[in-house]
Amino acid sequence: GSIQVSDDSQFVTLSLASGASAKVLLYGATVVSWKIQDRELLWLSSASALDGSKAVRGGIPLVFPVFGPPPAGTAVEKLAQHGFARTSKWNLLGRAEDEEGSVRVEFGLSSDSLDEETKAKWPYAFGLIYSVTLRENTLETKILVQNPGSEAFDFNVLFHTYLRIPDVSTIGVQGLNSLTYRDKTLGGSEHQESSEVIKITSQTDRVYKSAPDAITVSESDKPLYTVTKTGLNDVVLWNPYSDGVEKIGDWEPKEGYKNMVCVEAGSVASWQTLEPEATWEGGVVHKAHL
Ligand code: TA6
């Protein structure tokens, strides 16, 4: 395997002799590409900024320390939607190849490296170590949250993965049956999932609470992806669909909603509290069944 940093040192590319590769933008530590034998497995808007001017539209944006619009009256209320991790410049901490031929890169963001403006909005001492590990048919993303300070802080965390699919009308999402979910297209009202296989036929934006660790996205009834979370409680299912994409300026082509589904593992339905000196870890293994 190999790890290359681009000449402008904005990107890190991981590759394996088996024909797998991944590309990470240091801005937001955003995975912008994951390929197996030249087949792209993540969706990325062709209008997405990749110059650090705004959050990437696609790939795997990182959500921390708040998911969604920051609630008024909380410590995160001054932050932008989904927090600052996806719009911060991360440091390349290290790289490693392990024996079974996988390659891993680690990125860091801390209160020491956060820009002053953002730090003023959320003044907690924190440390994030984000690792991306590429294996033959899996991409693993894991985040370690540290509290080196003297004050506890509450956070949400989520991997906002845009999985690329051939056609939204032929996919099904399995593993969420009987769970309670909040439907953000219905004002956040609570519902209970009753489908063994969820089909996406309109704008879908649901936060499933206490989800099982393995979620499968099938294509024409054959497994295409498995998303397996560790240390994370919830799963968000999102597709803006034809009506939703009209309101997203950097979503191109608009038809692209047909080629993606966001299956997002995170701990977002409730606040995680990190006490001083404590650490917290959560991660996801994205597996492609090609
Ligand atoms: O994860 C789903 C969601 O919370 C949707 O409600 C939608 O807002 C999406 O995230 C994208 O948010 P963004 O801030 O990237 O436009």
Side-chain angles (χ1 to χ4, degrees), residues 79 84-85 87-89 109-120 122 124 126:
L79 297 178
F84 53 72
T87 52
S88 292
K89 188 88 168 93
L109 180 69
S110 73
S111 35
D112 295 338
S113 62
L114 197 61
D115 65 276
E116 288 309 316
E117 187 196 347
T118 308
K119 209 179 332 192
W122 194 72
Y124 295 93
F126 74 93

Side-chain angles (χ1 to χ4, degrees), residues 54-58 61 63 67-69 81-82 86 158 160 162 184 203-207 236-240 248 250-251 262 264:
K54 68 170 291 193
V56 175
R57 175 63 61 201
V63 171
F67 173 73
Q81 167 153 291
H82 293 334
R86 64 176 181 166
L158 173 129
H160 201 291
Y162 289 70
K184 288 171 69 173
Q203 184 167 164
T204 304
D205 193 353
R206 302 175 190 168
V207 181
V236 174
L237 184 60
W238 181 55
N239 186 306
I248 305 176
D250 59 357
W251 191 293
C262 274
E264 314 162 16

Side-chain angles (χ1 to χ4, degrees), residues 145-163:
V145 185
Q146 303 160 315
N147 181 349
S150 54
E151 260 193 289
F153 59 78
D154 288 344
F155 68 95
N156 297 147
V157 66
L158 173 129
F159 299 90
H160 201 291
T161 305
Y162 289 70
L163 292 171

Side-chain angles (χ1 to χ4, degrees), residues 249-278:
D250 59 357
W251 191 293
E252 292 298 341
K254 291 302 180 198
E255 294 280 290
Y257 75 88
K258 294 177 180 170
N259 301 114
M260 57 69 69
V261 62
C262 274
V263 177
E264 314 162 16
S267 285
V268 297
S270 61
W271 294 107
Q272 308 300 306
T273 301
L274 199 57
E275 297 298 336
E277 308 305 316

Side-chain angles (χ1 to χ4, degrees), residues 13 31 53 59 87 90 96 123 125 131 138 141 156 166 177 188-189 194 199 229 244 248 251 253:
T13 301
V31 179
S53 57
T87 52
W90 289 61
S131 67
T138 61
T141 54
N156 297 147
N177 194 9
S189 51
S194 57
K199 306 295 284 179
K229 62 186 175 62
I248 305 176
W251 191 293

